[in-house]
Amino acid sequence: MNRGSQAEQEVVDLVCRLIQFDTSNTGDPATTKGERACAEWVAEQLQDAGYETTLVDSGAPGRSNVFARLPGADRSRGALMIHGHLDVVPAEPADWSVHPFAGAIEDGYVWGRGAVDMKDMVGMTIALARQFKRDGIVPPRDLVFAFLADEEAGGKFGSHWLVEHRPDLFDGVTEAVGEVGGYSLTVPRPDGSERRLYLLETAEKGIAWMKLTAKARAGHGSFLHEDNAVTYLAEAVARLGRHRFPLVLTESVEQFLAAVAEETGLDFDPASPDLEGTIAKLGSIGRIIGATLRDTANPTMLRAGYKANVIPQSAEAVVDCRVLPGRQASFEREVDELIGPHVEREWVTNLDSYETTFDGDLVDAMNAALLSEDPGARTVPYMLPGGTDAKAFAKLGIRCFGFAPLKLPPDLDFAALFHGVDERVPVDALRFGTRVLDHFLRNC
């Protein structure tokens, strides 16, 4: 039986079973189903292999997390944490080709909510944790396996609560790997061939959900009203929604564009008026990369009034802001100029950006693991326009990467699967990822 085969045999069934737990996170604790049942099942899978597990609720009933540790050969080295979240965004079954919580296997894919975000990585991690324990494998350093709640709502009842209230769970952890990295992007080369690039997440934008409030005098809808809260708010929201923030290339984005330019021959000149157009030639991944060139502020919610003929005293909006590393102060100044004096702002959620460098022993280990299964590949850094639990762990000084390896079909619109209808992951990609992670964890 070749190395990794036990985990490979289990991983698809594990991912299917994980998807069958409906862990939908609405963002409202009153309607979120909670992760308790799924967390208890994860703990059972680990205990069955011989682990001692810690199951802890993070700030609210049912928001359950599971931790387990595998001792390594060199206990003096910092531990590596492999983390994944158990919650998923909601899904409407009527919109799907298959039921989003069936965990069905069709056409070479595992289908269901969480298939790529991120029960695929959770399944691979469980499979390898079980195999390592059963086979008596001693990794080079301690491995901490963490399965977390509430990532899809910013981690208030998950990673951020744990970092604040249970830092002991992360004792000795110096580095971590999690979601949205290690997947392949196939690009054309000038000679007509293709090259698979594997994108390692080294950075992510800050998440800042902002509430705007305008207040003015209430009155009858038939009168003249120059002082109108709805008007003030609508004008501010329109200015903000149409604004293009300045182009700023961080180190991670510069390195990504340089690598892709070298492979494809495309010119990603920052001074070009059509830089976004060139990036769009990369296909679906262009939407992700394009969103990392500048800050964004997208209005998402409006609320005002209670009757057609009454001018309301206040109006509110919510804006989803994503801010590049090092840009928070400049971003806030621009926002204040755009919304004007009649609108107040406050942060509903404000999670810092994060960036690390594309170097070091752990990056070398990730690269070697990918090349062991795909020798012609190339690893490149990139920035995620969204956010992960890495934002919480960075507060403890943990160096974080996105590394959930998947070898994807060149024509798969991977970006559209995140939070999308008919979310699915190739069966072969799960097995490939399991082999890569196996190599990585044996040599980390």
Side-chain angles (χ1 to χ4, degrees):
M1 184 176 295
N2 61 339
R3 190 182 77 182
S5 62
Q6 288 179 299
E8 283 185 70
Q9 289 170 8
E10 289 189 338
V11 67
V12 175
D13 287 341
L14 287 169
V15 174
C16 290
R17 184 69 185 95
L18 285 161
I19 290 171
Q20 290 164 8
F21 287 97
D22 183 352
T23 52
S24 297
N25 188 343
T26 65
D28 179 358
T31 56
T32 292
K33 296 179 181 295
E35 298 85 355
R36 163 70 67 169
C38 186
E40 290 177 341
W41 181 83
V42 170
E44 289 173 1
Q45 306 312 303
L46 297 173
Q47 291 163 4
D48 178 67
Y51 284 94
E52 293 184 6
T53 62
T54 299
L55 191 149
V56 56
D57 282 359
S58 45
R63 312 315 300 271
S64 302
N65 309 265
V66 179
F67 287 80
R69 184 181 287 255
L70 182 64
D74 185 354
R75 305 301 304 278
S76 67
R77 289 184 62 194
L80 173 69
M81 179 168 62
I82 305 92
H83 61 93
H85 62 85
L86 300 179
D87 62 323
V88 298
V89 296
E92 176 52 58
D95 297 335
W96 285 57
S97 302
V98 300
H99 194 284
F101 298 105
I105 301 174
E106 293 185 10
D107 302 323
Y109 286 80
V110 177
W111 296 65
R113 178 57 86 218
V116 298
D117 188 12
M118 61 170 300
K119 290 179 176 177
D120 55 343
M121 177 64 166
V122 171
M124 290 189 285
T125 302
I126 294 171
L128 287 166
R130 284 167 55 87
Q131 176 185 301
F132 278 30
K133 193 71 169 179
R134 285 184 307 224
D135 293 353
I137 295 170
V138 179
R141 61 202 288 196
D142 281 12
L143 302 180
V144 174
F145 302 106
F147 307 92
L148 305 165
D150 199 40
E151 189 275 344
E152 295 292 0
K156 177 181 179 182
F157 297 110
S159 58
H160 288 275
W161 187 96
L162 292 164
V163 164
E164 182 177 354
H165 297 278
R166 291 296 307 273
D168 57 294
L169 295 168
F170 308 97
D171 282 349
V173 175
T174 57
E175 295 175 305
V177 294
E179 63 179 325
V180 205
Y183 59 90
S184 66
L185 166 67
T186 302
V187 298
R189 306 180 80 181
D191 63 2
S193 64
E194 292 181 328
R195 185 81 180 270
R196 266 188 302 277
L197 309 179
Y198 286 86
L199 280 58
L200 304 185
E201 191 224 294
T202 54
E204 52 189 59
K205 294 172 84 173
I207 299 176
W209 296 335
M210 179 172 59
K211 184 170 79 170
L212 302 179
T213 304
K215 295 182 179 180
R217 291 175 58 188
H220 199 286
S222 65
F223 298 163
L224 296 174
H225 285 275
E226 294 183 3
D227 188 35
N228 188 315
V230 175
T231 303
Y232 292 145
L233 182 77
E235 290 173 342
V237 167
R239 286 193 298 267
L240 195 56
R242 294 193 183 103
H243 181 68
R244 283 176 68 81
F245 290 88
L247 179 74
V248 178
L249 296 187
T250 64
E251 183 179 358
S252 295
V253 174
E254 281 188 333
Q255 290 180 331
F256 171 84
L257 293 178
V260 176
E262 183 179 327
E263 295 293 343
T264 64
L266 293 172
D267 182 10
F268 297 103
D269 182 1
S272 168
D274 193 34
L275 176 60
E276 280 93 344
T278 306
I279 288 174
K281 295 178 181 179
L282 298 177
S284 63
I285 196 67
R287 296 198 299 276
I288 291 178
I289 303 306
T292 63
L293 302 181
R294 61 185 82 239
D295 305 325
T296 58
N298 289 313
T300 55
M301 299 174 68
L302 290 169
R303 183 173 66 185
Y306 50 88
K307 197 173 187 293
N309 62 346
V310 178
I311 303 293
Q313 188 174 3
S314 66
E316 296 180 353
V318 174
V319 184
D320 184 349
C321 307
R322 307 296 172 117
V323 186
L324 291 167
R327 275 278 304 169
Q328 187 69 30
S330 299
F331 175 81
E332 292 186 23
R333 284 195 296 270
E334 285 189 57
V335 167
D336 288 339
E337 292 176 3
L338 290 164
I339 63 178
H342 299 290
V343 177
E344 297 178 353
R345 64 171 172 85
E346 62 178 301
W347 297 121
V348 179
T349 297
N350 193 5
L351 304 177
D352 292 337
S353 59
Y354 175 77
E355 186 166 27
T356 188
T357 53
F358 184 61
D359 57 17
D361 292 343
L362 198 67
V363 170
D364 292 344
M366 287 186 273
N367 181 65
L370 284 163
L371 294 180
S372 73
E373 293 295 329
D374 193 353
R378 177 177 179 177
T379 55
V380 298
Y382 89 112
M383 176 184 290
L384 182 70
T388 74
D389 284 323
K391 294 183 182 304
F393 305 138
K395 294 178 180 179
L396 297 176
I398 297 172
R399 189 184 186 205
C400 299
F401 296 89
F403 187 62
L406 296 171
K407 182 180 177 182
L408 301 171
D411 59 348
L412 180 65
D413 189 351
F414 189 59
L417 299 179
F418 285 84
H419 298 187
V421 172
D422 287 342
E423 183 180 349
R424 61 198 183 277
V425 63
V427 169
D428 288 344
L430 287 174
R431 292 175 175 147
F432 169 88
T434 302
R435 295 194 300 272
V436 171
L437 282 175
D438 184 3
H439 186 289
F440 171 64
L441 296 179
R442 291 173 187 259
N443 298 279
C444 63

